[in-house]
Amino acid sequence: MVERNMLYDNHGRVINYLRLAVTDRCNLRCFYCMPENGIQYVEKSALLSYEEMIRLITVLAKLGIEKIRITGGEPFVRKGMMKFLATICQIPGIRAVHLTTNGTVTAPLIPDLKKIGIKSVNLSIDSLDQQRFFEITRRDVLPAVMETFHALLKHNITTKINSVVMNGKNTDDIIPMVQLTKDYPVGVRFIEEMPFNGSGADHGLSLWNHHKILEKIKTVYPDLEKIPDPDFSTSTNYKIPGHSGTVGIIAAYSRTFCGTCNRIRLTPTGLLKTCLYDSGVFNVKDFLRAGASDDEIRALFLNALGHRAKDGFEAEKNRRGGQFVSESMATIGG
Ligand code: SAM
Ligand code: SF4
């Protein structure tokens, strides 16, 4: 049995969830995440190594982290990912390992993901139309992503679809995406676009907020029913009578869910973010590589959680260098 503590921040919120970005590399160039010619990737040596990530997870599990989401960048472009996933699924105290992937190279890996015990997968699909998918991601790979979608369902892995709603790009996809929930037992979640696109460009971020997305869905599905949201859910959830799946809306830009935020993030280089909108609290890799003990690492995390912003607006206001956000979501870990 792992000795288990409950971890709280300075606002009394329980912290039990780590989002770990394992790479900043990606094989897509999604419009809302990266410029067309990509981002400046960090040196490989600046990435946390697998050994460092395993050590950190072991320390954090003893502090109270029990759920991990592996994200990036695209997790599956990093070599050795399956072995790493199998290892972290076995770390005492870690009850659930989840993944977020673009699904481009994931289909053949699904049987093994099931075998090692991955709890659920969030698959990013912003359009079901091949041309629009290409325009958004700048790669013509929708068929490979759909292969992953069907493989996930075939292997009974709980699946959610993440779809970023972009003004002028894919709002015509909202209804077809909702229609997926008719026959498939998936949670389709519409995400408000955030300013993490690697350039700070504002694509009309506030135009398609959660209210507008909901209104659009109701034009075709006026009988959409509100269903209870799971604890710590970032999405507000709905169901259409007779449909197998559910629909969620994530007010990521409006930030309506900060009051129950239970998560911390580690970027691929080891920067701790206690809020998506902060500019990073400390870089744990520097301490690991300087020989810090587990107790010292623990103390660093506890101190950071004692000074956490109350919400994403406060975190944004306190950013070093001002409020301007120019990181790509791939360097943060979405
Ligand atoms: N590459 C994987 C993928 O796309 O699923 C994992 C990393 S990606 C950064 C994680 C999630 O962040 C994806 O669902 C993506 O759609 C979302 N995301 C990226 N940039 C975003 C932005 N500017 N606003 C809202 N969501 C964003
Ligand atoms: Fe890559 Fe995911 Fe960013 Fe798209 S959202 S560019 S798939 S990291």
Side-chain angles (χ1 to χ4, degrees):
M1 270 293 272
V2 69
E3 30 169 316
R4 175 165 295 289
N5 293 309
M6 289 287 271
L7 189 57
Y8 292 94
D9 72 5
N10 48 318
H11 302 282
R13 291 173 292 202
V14 71
I15 304 296
N16 55 10
Y17 177 15
L18 168 69
R19 293 176 72 99
L20 176 61
V22 291
T23 180
D24 60 345
R25 273 84 169 150
C26 190
N27 54 349
L28 298 187
R29 292 288 176 274
C30 302
F31 165 82
Y32 49 79
C33 180
M34 289 190 191
E36 186 156 14
N37 50 359
I39 51 170
Q40 182 73 50
Y41 293 143
V42 299
E43 293 286 317
K44 278 207 173 133
S45 59
L47 296 174
L48 284 171
S49 68
Y50 284 131
E51 292 71 22
E52 286 166 338
M53 290 191 278
I54 290 164
R55 179 172 167 210
L56 280 172
I57 294 170
T58 307
V59 170
L60 289 171
K62 288 185 187 149
L63 271 179
I65 294 294
E66 50 190 20
K67 168 178 173 183
I68 297 184
R69 174 169 302 281
I70 299 301
T71 178
E74 173 48 39
F76 292 105
V77 302
R78 185 158 177 178
K79 283 204 194 87
M81 186 49 51
M82 290 304 287
K83 185 166 169 228
F84 170 69
L85 293 174
T87 306
I88 64 172
C89 284
Q90 297 302 320
I91 291 179
I94 297 303
R95 296 184 195 193
V97 178
H98 305 259
L99 287 174
T100 303
T101 175
N102 63 27
T104 51
V105 295
T106 322
L109 308 172
I110 305 297
D112 284 340
L113 291 177
K114 178 76 181 177
K115 239 182 259 159
I116 65 177
I118 293 298
K119 263 281 186 295
S120 80
V121 172
N122 287 1
L123 179 63
S124 301
I125 311 180
D126 303 310
S127 178
L128 295 170
D129 175 89
Q130 193 159 347
Q131 179 59 26
R132 270 205 294 270
F133 182 95
F134 171 63
E135 281 161 18
I136 292 166
T137 65
R138 300 166 174 130
R139 301 289 185 269
D140 189 13
V141 289
L142 180 61
V145 177
M146 293 313 290
E147 209 184 306
T148 296
F149 173 66
H150 291 292
L152 286 165
L153 294 180
K154 182 172 159 210
H155 288 86
N156 283 320
I157 297 183
T158 302
T159 302
K160 291 182 192 151
I161 292 180
N162 285 350
S163 190
V164 178
V165 177
M166 289 156 278
N167 184 49
K169 286 270 177 193
N170 65 345
T171 54
D172 286 347
D173 284 286
I174 293 176
I175 299 303
M177 296 296 285
V178 171
Q179 275 160 358
L180 271 188
T181 68
K182 182 166 191 313
D183 296 325
Y184 299 111
V186 292
V188 169
R189 290 128 39 97
F190 296 103
I191 308 177
E192 287 178 355
E193 187 183 353
M194 293 179 273
F196 302 105
N197 49 44
S199 69
D202 183 336
H203 306 127
L205 294 172
S206 55
L207 295 177
W208 276 85
N209 66 14
H210 55 292
H211 297 298
K212 193 159 171 186
I213 297 168
L214 184 61
E215 283 318 306
K216 169 95 179 177
I217 299 171
K218 281 187 173 166
T219 57
V220 176
Y221 294 106
D223 51 353
L224 190 74
E225 281 170 9
K226 179 76 192 75
I227 54 173
D229 300 323
D231 288 347
F232 309 115
S233 176
T234 50
S235 55
T236 308
N237 297 289
Y238 304 87
K239 193 162 172 47
I240 295 157
H243 282 211
S244 317
T246 59
V247 174
I249 302 179
I250 303 183
Y253 187 65
S254 309
R255 287 160 260 184
T256 53
F257 44 69
C258 300
T260 56
C261 180
N262 64 338
R263 61 198 60 195
I264 54 175
R265 290 182 150 78
L266 278 172
T267 71
T269 61
L271 185 67
L272 172 72
K273 287 168 86 73
T274 58
C275 172
L276 181 56
Y277 283 85
D278 72 30
S279 50
V281 185
F282 68 89
N283 193 310
V284 70
K285 179 179 82 255
D286 298 340
F287 292 90
L288 291 171
R289 294 187 185 175
S293 67
D294 286 357
D295 279 347
E296 286 163 337
I297 299 291
R298 232 187 316 274
L300 286 165
F301 279 96
L302 288 174
N303 183 47
L305 287 173
H307 298 88
R308 195 166 176 241
K310 97 172 174 301
D311 57 29
F313 295 101
E314 185 177 298
E316 190 175 19
K317 192 164 82 159
N318 295 341
R319 284 173 70 89
R320 283 186 301 279
Q323 286 190 29
F324 181 69
V325 176
S326 62
E327 303 111 300
S328 157
M329 196 64 112
T331 60
I332 301 172

